[in-house]
Each structure stands twice: as structure tokens, then as C-alpha cells.
Amino acid sequence: MTTPLKAKHRDIWASGDYAAVAADVIPDLGSVLVQAAGVGPGQRVLDVAAGTGNAAIPAALAGASVTASDLTPELLAAGEKLAEARGAVLDWVAADAEDMPFGTGEFDVVLSCVGVMFAPFHQAAAGELVRVCRPGGTIALLNWTPAGFVGQLFAAMKPFAAPPPAGAQPPPLWGDEEHVRELLGDRVTGVSARTGSVRVERFAEPGDFRRYFRDNYGPTLAVYRSLAGDPDRTAALDAALDELAGRFRAADGSMRWEYLLLTATRSGGPATP
């Protein structure tokens, strides 16, 4: 059953053009996660909050049997076209990361690349990641850090956005190692975590970033739409995003967006089936 909150989230991610954002800004990020998870032929892999398949498609091309799940059918439809163009065969399933329609222990590897972090109730989503992974299987997550560029983007937008529902937690907390360790708890072992960054060269000037994200990135687009008719607050948001992009911009115009990459083994069994 779709709740008003889930419908709102689905509409946010269906707006704009996330397929373009993934392709233009972070095209290789999913492959980083797939490699870190050791995905290979014969494995049953679930990509949670897969979007347009940034990690799911490379996992399928690595020979795994892949299911890509996401709350937003429009993203799955776009991903299916991308997969076909790249010769990747996988299943696309509309699913809520906090209540997935998959069996307990169904997958050998459970992935999420800057996806599950946007499920508002972190503990519920973490519980589902663990539940659907078989004992001895791998959970691998790549999420934007709070102090990195995207974490600071959400901090910059917060004063202009509607307040979150009671009990919801900020997405960038999934980029904090201790937070994720607490979410997964003793249901996993062998946790390994490191920070990395993606080099973004798409935006020559701070204003280029602001305009691109205003038009294409669902969460930013939603905040701008909420300010329609209020030119002063719109101008203040413009200034905040320009300041942010300028702060993270190197002398050559590039940016570094930091992420946390965390892998763990599901407790309760050997590392191989």
C-alpha cells in the first residue's frame, strides 16, 4: 500500500531527469560499488533503490543474476532502456526499500549506490537490507557523506524545504560509518569501510551546478517548486547553492564529491554457499 509519504517521495524522484544526472555526473560510481562487493557470475544480486541501474547494470554485465528495485517506476523504466542499450539482462521490480517483496535470505549480494540513503526511516531500511541477504552473503553500500558535497547540498537546502516527517532521519547519515554500523548491528560481521570521492567536471561555474540541479535533480527541483511565488527566498536559495558549489570548486573547475563505501558479511553462515 502506497502511503502519502511514499507517494510524495516517488513524485520527487520522478521529477526532473535523474537518468541524466546519473549519466552526466556519476557514471562510474555504480561500478566502484560492484567491484568492491566482488560481484561475479552466478551470484544472486539485489540493487536496492537502484534508480536507473547505476550499480545494477554493471552487476548484470559482470555475470550476476540481478534484480533492480526502486520506489519510482519511472526510474526503473528509464533503467530498463539503458540496460537494453548496453546488452544487460536483469529484472526490474517496483519496491519500497523499507518493506521489500523479497524472500528472507534470497540474495547473495545486496547493494545500494546512493539509493537506500533516501529511505526516510533508516532502521527499517537497514533491517530489510539484512533480511533479504543470505547468511554469509555480502551487503555493500555507497553513500554520500555528511561533510562531503552532496551532504552539504542537503544541509544548504534544509532551511528552504518542508520539515521531514516525525522519525525520519537525514539521508547523509548513511555516509557516517558509525551510524551505519549501529543500523546493521550484530547482524553483520567483517565490516570494512573507507571514504572515497568522485571527480565531477561537469560544471564550469557555480551557477552551472545550480541550474543543472534545479532542473534535473528531484530533491532540488522540489525545493525550488515549493518556493514558487517567493522571489526573495528563491534568490536566497540560489545564493546558498552558488556559495556551496564555489566552496567545493578546485582551481581547475573540478569538484570532489565524497562518499563512504561500506561492505559487510551477513551473520549466521559461511562466506560461500
Side-chain angles (χ1 to χ4, degrees):
M1 179 179 178
T2 301
T3 66
L5 175 61
K6 298 299 181 179
K8 178 181 178 181
H9 280 213
R10 186 180 62 200
D11 290 345
I12 286 172
W13 288 105
S15 66
D17 189 349
Y18 186 73
V21 175
D24 293 343
V25 183
I26 54 169
D28 301 321
L29 206 56
S31 295
V32 171
L33 180 61
V34 168
Q35 183 176 6
V39 172
Q43 290 182 318
R44 301 163 300 168
V45 175
L46 174 65
D47 185 4
V48 178
T52 55
N54 194 265
I57 293 173
L61 293 174
S65 175
V66 179
T67 298
S69 68
D70 198 276
L71 183 67
T72 307
E74 292 86 347
L75 297 185
L76 297 176
E80 194 166 4
K81 292 179 181 178
L82 293 172
E84 183 178 358
R86 294 182 62 182
V89 178
L90 58 155
D91 294 325
W92 302 86
V93 178
D96 180 352
E98 295 170 0
D99 185 19
M100 294 191 284
F102 308 116
T104 298
E106 186 172 338
F107 298 96
D108 301 307
V109 181
V110 178
L111 304 170
S112 188
C113 182
V114 297
V116 74
M117 65 183 291
F118 294 104
F121 302 107
H122 294 190
Q123 193 62 70
E128 284 292 88
L129 294 176
V130 173
R131 182 185 66 81
V132 301
C133 187
R134 68 164 175 83
T138 298
I139 297 172
L141 309 171
L142 190 154
N143 294 306
W144 302 120
T145 64
F149 179 77
V150 179
Q152 291 299 295
L153 168 64
F154 279 88
M157 293 192 299
K158 183 177 179 180
F160 303 92
Q169 293 178 288
L173 277 180
W174 277 92
D176 178 271
E177 179 182 346
E178 290 307 311
H179 180 68
V180 181
R181 283 179 176 269
E182 289 178 7
L183 291 174
L184 299 176
D186 60 5
R187 296 172 295 179
V188 301
T189 61
V191 175
S192 175
R194 65 173 176 85
T195 56
S197 64
V198 58
R199 180 182 172 92
V200 176
E201 300 178 311
R202 170 82 187 186
F203 310 111
E205 299 293 339
D208 296 335
F209 160 77
R210 168 173 47 83
R211 286 183 288 271
Y212 184 90
F213 265 55
R214 178 197 64 199
D215 296 340
N216 294 290
Y217 189 59
T220 306
L221 176 57
V223 175
Y224 270 100
R225 283 179 173 171
S226 74
L227 301 179
D230 191 335
D232 291 339
R233 282 177 58 77
T234 298
L237 178 57
D238 286 348
L241 297 191
D242 286 352
E243 187 280 330
L244 171 69
R247 179 158 36 101
F248 277 83
R249 185 173 180 268
D252 63 0
S254 67
M255 306 168 78
R256 288 282 182 181
W257 295 9
E258 185 182 65
Y259 58 78
L260 174 76
L261 197 161
L262 183 145
T263 60
T265 300
R266 172 71 165 97
S267 299
T272 57

